[in-house]
Amino acid sequence: RRTSIPRLLAFALVTAMSLGWLTESSLIPKEPKPIKGVGTASLLQLQAAVYDRERRGPAPTAKRRRMALDASAQNAGVEARAAKDKEWLARESGEGAAAALREKAR
C-alpha cells in the first residue's frame, strides 16, 4: 500500500508537536470555589498586598542583614588611629618638617 508524501509529512508534523513531558502540563485549570464569609474586597486587599510585596523584591535573609551590619560597624578608635598614622607618615616623609619650617618662617 502506498501512502502519499504530503500525508506522511502531516503525520510527522503532528507527532513532532510534543516537546516532551516537561513542557506539557497535566493540571487542568478549574473554576475558583467561592469561600463563604469572604468577600471580593478582601480578595482585592490580598492581591494588593501580594503585588506590593512582589514590587519591593525579595526580603533580605538573616545572613545578608548580618553581613550588612558587620560591614557598616567599626571598632572604637579606628578614625583616631587612622589620623595618628597619617600624622606619622607625614613626619616620616618630611612633609611635617617642611610645614614646621614654614610655620617658623612666618
Side-chain angles (χ1 to χ4, degrees), residues 25-32:
S25 176
S26 62
L27 301 174
I28 299 172
K30 297 180 182 178
E31 288 290 321

Side-chain angles (χ1 to χ4, degrees), residues 83-93:
K84 278 186 179 181
D85 288 345
K86 190 174 181 181
E87 182 183 316
W88 180 80
L89 284 173
R91 266 189 278 128
E92 289 295 315
S93 65

